[in-house]
Structures are given as C-alpha cells and as structure tokens.
Amino acid sequence: MVGSVPSAVCSAAAAILTVPLPRRPLDPEDPADRIRGWYENELGWPTVPGEPVRLLVGERFDVLDVPAEAGLAALRRLAPDSPVAVRGDRMRLLVAAGGAEEVPGILQWLEWGALPLDLTAIGAGELIEAPLPPPGGGRGRGRGPGPNRPGPVQGAAVWLRPPVAGCEAEASLPTMSALGDVGGAPDLVRLVDTLATHCHRVRLRRASAQPLAFS
C-alpha cells in the first residue's frame, strides 16, 4: 500500500516507545546481519541467532497462519497498517501479543472448534522466518521489483503489508481489548471468525476437487 502512516498510529508510537532501543552493530557485508539489524534496530523486534533470520514471537506480536486465499478475504478486518506477510501459499497475519492463546477459546465460542480448520496460532516462545525487509524499510509500500530493487528469493517470506520503521506497528494489531473498537485497533474475535469461515470454504473446495477413490 502506498501512502503515509496515519498520525494516530505514529502518536501511539510516541506514547509507547519513550526510551530509544539499543542499536545492534551491523556487518554491512553480511546479508543476514543487514536483515537482522533492520528488525532489531529499526523495529525493535527480537530475532534469534542463526540463518535464515527468524523472529521471536510472543513479545511484540503473535501470528495467525492461514491459507493465502483465506487471508486475503480477511484483510478488510485489519487496519491498513497492520503487518501481513506471505510465504508461498500461506499468509501470516500479525495480531497483538497474547492473541494466540485466545484463539482456541474464540473458535470454541464461535462454534468452530469441532471443525478441522487450517488455521494455526503461533504464540509465545515460537519462531517464524523473518520476511525480507521491504525496499526503503517500509516507507515505499507497494513498490515492486525494479532495476535497483531485485525481487524476493523464490519461496522466501515477504511482506504484503510491511511494518513501518519508526512507527509502533503493535498499535494497529488485532486484540481482544478492541471489542467495540476501543482504541481504534481491529477486533481479534471478528478477524478469527472471518478467517475460520474462509478456511472452511477453502477446505470444502479442495475436498470437492479431489478425484473419487474407487475400491
């Protein structure tokens, strides 16, 4: 998406992030270190040692992992600046830290609990592959590959809606405390219900496309 970051989100950043984050020294010759440095120094998101670069989930955000088709249908439930990543045919939607623990109870309450949904909640202590930082560090949303902007490595995770360095992305993440649109953040319950609905539709469509087995 192209455009400036809403002032309300950046105002939340100023209120939440009052102490400058320590900046990690970088080796400019090491591609992994450049990626790690963008996450740690620009966003304040913790990573773990090793390659590929992986993000630690549960401190700044949790993740809902769903089929990309279902995720695309749920984007309307997210704030425009709520980060979303894609890897292959999977989509990862970031939600507020602690949200993953709420998902099983939400699904039960919405009467989705008995159905096999391809919806995985990734929470505290787990890891995800770090999507490649966008060109311009997220300031130039929506720009595709070009002569000086090579495309992503095939199969690598990439940002569909990247977080913006210098602005508190967590202020836009779906949360349980947002019932009734408190604080302007999206509602986690509505998001999970939309994802469950479309995950179920994807599963039914795939099942109907399978050839019949004859004994």
Side-chain angles (χ1 to χ4, degrees):
M1 283 193 173
V2 179
S4 60
V5 180
S7 58
V9 179
C10 286
S11 296
I16 298 172
L17 196 59
T18 57
V19 180
L21 294 169
R23 300 185 69 84
R24 175 189 177 92
L26 301 178
D27 177 0
E29 303 301 322
D30 184 351
D33 210 21
R34 290 198 299 269
I35 295 173
R36 194 183 310 279
W38 184 73
Y39 281 103
E40 293 186 354
N41 296 338
E42 301 301 327
L43 297 178
W45 289 4
T47 67
V48 296
E51 294 187 34
V53 178
R54 292 173 295 169
L55 301 175
L56 181 62
V57 181
E59 292 191 16
R60 306 298 294 269
F61 57 85
D62 286 356
V63 177
L64 302 183
D65 183 285
V66 296
E69 183 179 347
L72 286 171
L75 291 184
R76 62 188 176 86
R77 293 294 186 190
L78 298 175
D81 290 284
S82 187
V84 177
V86 178
R87 187 179 189 278
D89 63 352
R90 306 293 298 181
M91 184 174 290
R92 287 174 169 172
L93 299 88
L94 272 60
V95 300
E101 297 180 6
E102 305 288 347
V103 169
I106 293 173
L107 290 173
Q108 289 289 345
W109 183 68
L110 294 170
E111 300 184 349
W112 286 110
L115 295 175
L117 300 174
D118 191 7
L119 191 165
T120 302
I122 304 172
E126 299 189 68
L127 304 172
I128 62 167
E129 177 186 346
L132 299 176
R139 292 182 293 275
R141 293 183 178 218
R143 295 189 300 171
N148 298 316
R149 300 189 301 274
V153 178
Q154 185 175 5
V158 297
W159 286 110
L160 176 65
R161 293 182 177 180
V164 179
C167 191
E168 194 74 9
E170 290 88 334
S172 67
L173 298 183
T175 173
M176 283 291 290
S177 64
L179 291 171
D181 198 31
V182 175
D187 181 353
L188 180 61
V189 174
R190 292 190 179 94
L191 174 61
V192 170
D193 190 32
T194 301
L195 288 172
T197 299
H198 289 282
C199 284
H200 183 56
R201 291 175 181 173
V202 169
R203 187 182 70 85
L204 292 178
R205 185 159 51 251
R206 289 175 178 173
S208 65
Q210 293 295 323
L212 296 176
F214 297 95
S215 56

